[in-house]
Amino acid sequence: MSQAVAELPTWDLDSLFPGLESEQFKAAWSTIQRQISDLEQFFQTQRIGQHGPATDAQTFQTLIGKLNTFGETLTPLYAYVLMLVDSNSADMAAQAKLSELELLYLNYQQLRPRLNHWLAGLDAEKVEAKDYRILIDEAKVQAQHMLSEPEEILASELSLSGGRAWVKLHGNLTSQIGAVVNGEELPITAVRNLAMSPDEAVRKAAYEAELSAWKANEIAIAAALNGYKGEISTLNRRRGWVDDLAPALFDNRIKRKTLEAMQKAMVESFPHWRRYFKAKARALGKKKLDWWDLFAPIVRPGQTPKKWSWEEGRRFIVEHLSGFSQAAASLAERAYAERWMDAPPRKGKVGGAYCTPVGQGASRILLNHEDSFESISTLAHELGHAYHNYCLREVPYLLRQEPMTLAETASIMNETVVGEAALKVLPPADQLAVLEGGLQSAAQVVVDIHARFLFEQAVFAKRRERELAPEEFCQWMLEAQAQTYGDALATYHPYMWAVKGHYYGSNYYNFPYAFGLLFGLALYRQYLEEGEGFVAKYDQLLASVGTYPAEQLAARYGFNLESEEFWQGGIAVLVERIERFERIVAEN
């Protein structure tokens, strides 16, 4: 391990629980068991979800209190066990305890259908729901799209050997796939990482090897996609949803008109993105990009990318967050001081990065940190999530459950503030890498995400009729990429449907990413216009993400999500970066 990696911090979990065998952990576990038992008994005595239930305000307030208390106990307990597993997959004791906790939590989940049925029958005014009205309003919609209780229980049980089994097949199979690149056998993840090689010959060889590997396994992977989407589509139809997109819109608390306005702004921005792709091709010395060039680094001859120490990154993040929000900067300082971050990559640790709440406004952040600006940007992003958790510290557990569409608001804001600061203070030689890295990521969220949406839309439309062949999946993927990337690329990737696990474990797990990015960027543009006066509204918005549907929440602060103009505000930030990128490329 290098000295730089050795000096990276690991997180403090002892302040949550000293260990799985500690008295504190055992006490919390016993408390969770008692709380679930108490909920089960309360449901029984008050006939929640049964004939002739109690529907008075006192019963509602009492149950809400019990559910909030349960959530507050569960949050640090679940986070602690999950973090033990994610930071060391070889910790068999933690693995076993996580399995036990999931089974214990299943007892709570089995109460949910009864809870939703009961909530749907309540009058929000009579039970004095106040901020909890959203729970009743959403339950009334869910009640219109539920099977009978025995059918819902059966569907849940069958999913373990049905849809969930197909999900596991995809994950297990793809994790074992390998390919030979230039004579070396590599796992498919390593093959895909070669897309970031500065050597085009390596990138192209990896692309060709990857396509061959997917083709060799396409029948089993197609069976998994058919199985999972077939189950989801069947249940959506039986539950009376108008189409397979409708439940995804409901889960993300947005209206179809909002999605259409956002996607219209995205599609209208595609000519700008094609200019970015063409400028990158020029920077790489090519007439047109190939698929294997999308993640290629732009490195000038003789240039060595700037390396960022952990301490340098800390100073940079805190300094520039303070120019936006002193509260966000102070929260970041606290995260560093109290060792909220687990930074070094190591064997047995999951990849990527995430932030998880641990209660009382505190968080923990998992990273796989490197000495690059990309890692600084990732840390700023995750500290944004931590700040969001802090803003929710006084909000009850049930009203902290934000949809994915709104979950990225603070993280995008932090990432944007730090990224824009880098483009102002770094020398031109370092700006290009920072700018290209940000545009590369944004292109995936705006352009590629829309391709994924179009593909999934085509799959759902056809899957209701019959099973689909691998060749059809490839055809629809190429058509979706042609609609989005257009003539900016010379080649596409027909097997992205096999690559992306999101297709196999969820329903339309694509547009919420675009919503999160563009919503956050639109707010950033609003901040540039309003200055300091915006920050107080921003904090209030963050604290309210679990209380209102997205449109209603935005309207409280003067934003109209059903207007294309709002989304163009976020797009405009990206277009400005594209134009800057074009200028730098032209100058060099």
Side-chain angles (χ1 to χ4, degrees):
M1 181 182 291
S2 69
Q3 182 179 12
V5 172
E7 292 175 350
L8 293 175
T10 56
W11 49 23
D12 168 31
L13 299 186
D14 287 349
S15 58
L16 300 177
F17 299 101
L20 293 174
E21 298 300 321
S22 67
E23 292 303 316
Q24 295 95 317
F25 183 86
K26 292 179 180 177
W29 189 276
S30 296
T31 299
I32 281 287
Q33 290 176 314
R34 287 198 305 271
Q35 288 172 341
I36 292 176
S37 177
D38 180 50
L39 281 169
E40 291 172 335
Q41 184 176 356
F42 189 84
F43 271 57
Q44 190 64 31
T45 57
Q46 302 301 314
R47 303 189 61 78
I48 304 297
Q50 302 178 54
H51 180 69
T55 58
D56 57 284
Q58 182 177 353
T59 300
F60 177 78
Q61 300 297 339
T62 300
L63 181 53
I64 290 297
K66 289 178 181 293
L67 292 171
N68 279 326
T69 301
F70 167 75
E72 298 294 356
T73 306
L74 178 69
T75 296
L77 188 73
Y78 181 78
Y80 175 73
V81 179
L82 182 65
M83 288 187 291
L84 290 179
V85 171
D86 285 350
S87 57
N88 180 14
S89 61
D91 187 340
M92 291 298 103
Q95 292 275 16
K97 190 59 69 175
L98 180 60
S99 179
E100 290 177 36
L101 185 55
E102 288 173 340
L103 287 173
L104 183 61
Y105 185 67
L106 183 61
N107 294 322
Y108 168 74
Q109 288 180 303
Q110 290 175 341
L111 296 174
R112 294 292 304 181
R114 293 169 59 187
L115 175 62
N116 287 337
H117 181 75
W118 179 73
L119 287 171
L122 297 181
D123 183 310
E125 298 296 333
K126 290 183 178 179
V127 299
E128 303 172 15
K130 297 181 181 178
D131 286 346
Y132 293 98
R133 171 184 288 273
I134 191 170
L135 302 182
I136 295 175
D137 291 344
E138 291 186 340
K140 291 181 184 299
V141 176
Q142 287 177 312
Q144 299 172 23
H145 300 285
M146 287 183 66
L147 306 173
S148 66
E149 185 173 346
E151 287 176 315
E152 288 289 354
I153 293 174
L154 179 60
S156 178
E157 292 178 354
L158 286 176
S159 70
L160 297 177
S161 57
R164 302 310 304 173
W166 289 117
V167 173
K168 285 185 178 180
L169 172 64
H170 175 267
N172 293 337
L173 175 59
T174 56
S175 68
Q176 299 299 318
I177 292 175
V180 177
V181 182
N182 295 332
E184 183 180 3
E185 175 76 27
L186 297 171
I188 200 68
T189 52
V191 174
R192 286 187 51 75
N193 284 341
L194 291 176
M196 293 176 277
S197 170
D199 186 338
E200 183 178 4
V202 172
R203 297 196 303 270
K204 183 178 180 181
Y207 166 83
E208 292 173 344
E210 182 194 351
L211 292 191
S212 296
W214 293 124
K215 184 170 182 57
N217 292 274
E218 65 179 0
I219 293 177
I221 300 175
L225 189 55
N226 270 302
Y228 182 74
K229 294 303 185 190
E231 178 184 287
I232 292 294
S233 187
T234 299
L235 288 173
N236 286 342
R237 186 168 61 252
R238 289 292 304 275
R239 288 172 175 147
W241 292 104
V242 64
D243 58 22
D244 294 299
L245 177 60
L249 294 172
F250 174 77
D251 290 342
N252 283 284
R253 290 179 177 170
I254 68 170
K255 297 177 181 177
R256 196 174 296 256
K257 188 175 180 180
T258 293
L259 177 64
E260 291 170 350
M262 180 188 75
Q263 290 183 327
K264 185 177 180 183
M266 291 166 63
V267 170
E268 290 178 353
S269 77
F270 288 167
H272 298 292
W273 289 105
R274 290 164 190 167
R275 286 184 8 236
Y276 155 67
F277 294 133
K278 290 174 182 177
K280 180 168 183 176
R282 290 195 297 273
L284 293 174
K286 302 182 66 170
K287 290 185 177 180
K288 187 176 289 190
L289 287 184
D290 285 285
W291 188 273
W292 57 81
D293 299 318
L294 287 174
F295 298 101
I298 299 177
V299 181
R300 296 172 180 171
Q303 178 187 354
T304 301
K306 174 179 171 56
K307 295 185 181 297
W308 293 73
S309 71
W310 178 261
E311 177 57 24
E312 186 180 13
R314 183 195 69 78
R315 291 196 303 268
F316 192 87
I317 289 173
V318 172
E319 175 187 349
H320 293 290
L321 283 182
S322 66
F324 163 64
S325 164
Q326 188 54 54
S330 297
L331 189 280
E333 284 275 42
R334 179 186 170 191
Y336 282 101
E338 297 181 6
R339 288 177 48 218
W340 286 7
M341 284 86 83
D342 191 277
R346 57 183 179 271
K347 184 178 180 181
K349 182 179 180 180
V350 299
Y354 68 71
C355 174
T356 185
V358 296
Q360 299 180 328
S363 300
R364 293 295 184 272
I365 296 172
L366 181 139
L367 304 162
N368 282 274
H369 196 77
E370 298 175 341
D371 53 9
S372 65
F373 185 79
E374 286 77 7
S375 284
I376 301 300
S377 180
T378 297
L379 178 50
H381 181 102
E382 300 305 333
L383 284 168
H385 284 299
Y387 183 64
H388 198 166
N389 293 336
Y390 176 76
C391 289
L392 288 164
R393 66 194 181 280
E394 296 180 0
V395 177
Y397 172 79
L398 290 176
L399 299 181
R400 294 202 301 266
Q401 311 311 304
E402 80 268 88
M404 183 182 170
T405 40
L406 297 173
E408 298 296 321
T409 306
S411 56
I412 294 297
M413 182 66 77
N414 264 27
E415 184 180 343
T416 303
V417 168
V418 171
E420 291 295 313
L423 293 175
K424 291 178 181 177
V425 304
L426 293 179
D430 293 320
Q431 285 183 25
L432 183 61
V434 172
L435 190 58
E436 211 288 310
L439 286 173
Q440 189 182 105
S441 175
Q444 286 293 297
V445 176
V446 177
V447 182
D448 201 73
I449 281 291
H450 194 60
R452 298 179 210 177
F453 176 86
L454 294 175
F455 169 79
E456 192 158 3
Q457 198 172 44
V459 170
F460 269 126
K462 297 295 185 181
R463 185 61 187 88
R464 286 194 171 202
E465 301 171 2
R466 58 178 172 80
E467 288 193 359
L468 307 170
E471 294 81 6
E472 292 176 297
F473 290 140
C474 289
Q475 175 190 339
W476 295 327
M477 181 57 73
L478 291 174
E479 290 174 358
Q481 290 167 356
Q483 289 184 59
T484 50
Y485 289 96
D487 62 358
L489 302 186
T491 49
Y492 300 132
H493 192 314
Y495 283 97
M496 286 305 292
W497 60 270
V499 176
K500 295 297 181 181
H502 291 165
Y503 293 124
Y504 299 83
S506 55
N507 184 18
Y508 282 104
Y509 196 68
N510 37 58
F511 69 79
Y513 279 108
F515 186 108
L517 174 66
L518 297 179
F519 184 72
L521 290 177
L523 292 187
Y524 175 74
R525 193 170 184 83
Q526 194 74 19
Y527 157 67
L528 294 180
E529 294 176 2
E530 295 185 20
E532 287 185 23
F534 170 83
V535 178
K537 292 195 300 183
Y538 170 71
D539 287 351
Q540 293 169 359
L541 185 150
L542 293 179
S544 305
V545 292
T547 308
Y548 305 97
E551 292 86 3
Q552 189 176 341
L553 174 65
R556 290 171 62 86
Y557 300 95
F559 309 129
N560 179 9
L561 300 189
E562 296 182 1
S563 165
E564 186 186 347
E565 183 180 358
F566 172 82
W567 300 105
Q568 288 170 339
I571 292 290
V573 176
L574 298 173
V575 171
E576 289 168 5
R577 295 178 187 173
I578 291 172
E579 292 170 347
R580 184 170 186 169
F581 178 77
E582 288 179 304
R583 288 195 299 271
I584 295 176
V585 169
E587 291 168 0
N588 293 276

